[in-house]
Amino acid sequence: MQVSELMRGEFIELREKILLVGNSGTGKTHLAVALGIAACGQGKRVRFYQVTELIPQLMDAREERELTRLKKQLAKLNLLILNELGYVPGSKLGSELLFDVISTVYERFSLIVTTKLPFENWTEILGSERLTGSISSDKNCKAAMRSRSSRVSMGFLSMRSVVPESEISPQQTGLKWSVAG
């Protein structure tokens, strides 16, 4: 699957999930934002969160008994983008609240997740083998992980590198994304 195909937004209509995996600086966030902007241009309801900001927001909402209201707002979306899953390990409660959001999304609409960590390391993120196992055993998640349109492996050379442009191939910069199946 090419980026241009993803930009058309058909994955949103099909409620597919996209996992953008790669090293820092390879363009995961840029691609996620571009897909979100394209979806907005197509009239879709999109929300972008840094995971490190979403978890405290979920915890505050729970403490203030506003979690149900926040989840209802999220349920109105067509696409949720979670940026940098696993950047900082969360607390047990934060991990459970994040898992709750992810599991709700899997049932209702499309999700884009950016991360440096392969799925095998998500126990570190979610803080529980039980939570990670629940995601991996979920039939929608399994389908998303197997789907060629859902997992994009980014280039290995950071776009932040200070290297003359003439010495960088598109494959190194992440400008040409490949689909891992």
Side-chain angles (χ1 to χ4, degrees), residues 27-52:
K28 299 178 301 291
T29 300
H30 285 92
L31 179 56
V33 168
L35 293 172
I37 291 170
C40 288
Q42 297 160 6
K44 305 297 184 205
R45 293 177 306 271
V46 178
R47 187 70 194 254
F48 177 98
Y49 282 104
Q50 293 286 353
V51 172
T52 55

Side-chain angles (χ1 to χ4, degrees), residues 51-162:
V51 172
T52 55
E53 295 171 4
L54 176 59
I55 291 175
Q57 187 175 347
L58 291 168
M59 293 174 75
D60 289 346
R62 182 179 180 269
E63 189 174 301
E64 296 169 9
R65 299 188 189 280
E66 295 289 325
L67 189 56
T68 302
R69 183 180 62 79
L70 178 59
K71 287 174 66 176
K72 284 181 182 178
Q73 289 174 344
L74 292 174
K76 294 177 183 176
L77 297 175
N78 300 110
L79 173 63
L80 176 64
I81 302 170
L82 299 178
N83 191 48
E84 291 296 347
L85 184 66
Y87 187 71
V88 178
S91 67
K92 181 179 179 183
L93 175 60
S95 296
E96 288 175 356
L97 291 170
L98 180 61
F99 170 77
D100 187 41
V101 167
I102 291 172
S103 63
T104 300
V105 169
Y106 266 101
E107 298 168 5
R108 298 189 177 144
F109 52 90
S110 290
L111 172 70
I112 296 174
V113 175
T114 71
T115 184
K116 292 183 271 190
L117 298 177
F119 188 78
E120 300 77 45
N121 296 75
W122 282 25
T123 300
E124 298 169 24
I125 302 165
L126 297 175
S128 163
E129 286 186 28
R130 178 183 62 83
L131 296 179
T132 307
S134 295
I135 291 175
S136 67
S137 67
D138 179 88
K139 65 178 176 135
N140 293 326
C141 181
K142 280 184 172 179
M145 290 190 307
R146 283 193 307 261
S147 169
R148 289 187 48 82
S149 66
S150 64
R151 190 167 180 192
V152 180
S153 178
M154 309 301 279
F156 294 103
L157 182 65
S158 172
M159 292 173 67
R160 297 178 188 134
S161 297
V162 183

